[in-house]
Amino acid sequence: MAVFRELKIRWKGKHYLFTPSNRLLRRIEEEVALTDVIAGIAGGRPKLSHVALVVAEFLMEAGVETAEDDIYAVIMDDIQDGATQFTQWCEVIAQAVSPTEDVAKNSKGSAAAKTARKSGNAA
């Protein structure tokens, strides 16, 4: 069973496919906490430089050579023009850190937590 799903990310008018992995997420988290990135996105105040870093890593995973500064420049232009690309990138980031539905539904950790809650032994 795969933990992560294949995702599509757009760059310069083309779509690229990549599959997140724990290794990729750890590499990103050496620079920035993904929980902070997701919290910023969810709260409507993502740090643009962090989004640029994550998108650059995703594109590199998809085989595209690019730089964070290039991504940041696109973000700044896009924000002035309705933020369509930026919004899509934020959605991809949120999807990338979420397990597939099968994994989320069948998580042993979730089952153990449910059992503990039912028996009153939740931490």
Side-chain angles (χ1 to χ4, degrees):
M1 167 186 340
V3 175
F4 299 100
R5 68 183 84 57
E6 184 175 67
L7 296 172
K8 182 170 37 173
I9 189 164
R10 189 171 60 124
W11 176 242
K12 294 187 176 182
K14 294 183 181 179
H15 288 93
Y16 298 92
L17 298 175
F18 74 102
T19 302
S21 65
N22 191 59
R23 180 177 296 234
L24 171 63
L25 300 180
R26 280 187 298 113
R27 188 169 71 226
I28 293 168
E29 287 195 321
E30 288 176 6
E31 300 289 329
V32 62
L34 283 168
T35 53
D36 291 345
V37 176
I38 296 299
I41 291 169
R45 297 183 54 86
K47 293 182 179 178
L48 305 182
S49 61
H50 292 180
V51 172
L53 178 139
V54 175
V55 169
E57 289 290 337
F58 288 174
L59 286 167
M60 285 188 277
E61 188 71 14
V64 179
E65 288 194 35
T66 190
E68 289 176 48
D69 289 349
D70 296 336
I71 304 296
Y72 189 85
V74 169
I75 289 171
M76 296 308 293
D77 288 342
D78 187 57
I79 287 174
Q80 299 296 319
D81 195 30
T84 304
Q85 180 69 67
F86 181 71
T87 300
Q88 290 172 350
W89 283 341
C90 289
E91 290 170 1
V92 170
I93 292 169
Q95 291 171 352
V97 299
S98 302
T100 63
E101 288 182 30
D102 290 343
V103 171
K105 288 179 185 175
N106 296 321
S107 171
K108 291 181 181 179
S110 295
K114 289 177 188 174
T115 301
R117 282 193 300 270
K118 286 181 183 176
S119 66
N121 295 328

